[in-house]
Amino acid sequence: MSIISEAAASAGAPAQGSPYSLIIMLVVFGLIFYFMILRPQQKRTKEHRKLMDSISKGDEVMTNGGLIGRVTKVSDTGYIVVALNDTTEVTIKRDFVAAVLPKGTMKAL
């Protein structure tokens, strides 16, 4: 028999394997998905929540939109007032702060 006819004959037959191999593969893929995607995302979310809770008056922050300013007021409702310069203040939701910057960053710019 030639190699081609053997391959054609075996292609028609269903693949026989352990019934547990599919379950084991699904569990392995589930673990890979958890450790590569879900767990790092949960850690980032936890760190961001910790950052949001640590914002206080006088902190220099950068928003998701790229604005840099000093926090002048923190409310209990989840909003903060950020002074962009001496005359301009904006009210933003606390969740949209991307980073708390070191003191003196605004003067260095």
Side-chain angles (χ1 to χ4, degrees):
M1 234 179 165
S2 71
I3 296 175
I4 296 174
S5 60
E6 286 178 23
S10 65
Q16 294 294 322
S18 169
Y20 298 111
S21 66
L22 178 63
I23 294 171
I24 292 171
M25 277 195 343
L26 287 174
V27 168
V28 168
F29 283 129
L31 288 173
I32 290 171
F33 180 77
Y34 175 76
F35 284 109
M36 296 293 288
I37 297 171
L38 291 179
R39 189 160 182 237
Q41 180 62 33
Q42 289 172 344
K43 286 177 79 176
R44 280 191 297 269
T45 303
K46 185 178 178 182
E47 289 173 6
H48 190 257
R49 179 63 44 209
K50 197 166 139 184
L51 173 73
M52 296 302 101
D53 293 339
S54 71
I55 294 174
S56 62
K57 183 178 178 180
D59 286 345
E60 294 182 8
V61 296
M62 181 172 66
T63 66
N64 288 341
L67 298 175
I68 296 176
R70 182 171 287 112
V71 177
T72 58
K73 182 181 175 187
V74 179
S75 70
D76 294 333
T77 59
Y79 289 91
I80 60 174
V81 177
V82 178
L84 302 177
N85 57 29
D86 294 335
T87 59
T88 308
E89 289 186 342
V90 293
T91 303
I92 63 168
K93 191 149 178 66
R94 183 184 283 220
D95 298 336
F96 290 99
V97 172
V100 176
L101 304 172
K103 301 281 185 193
T105 303
M106 289 179 65
K107 289 182 182 179
L109 296 177

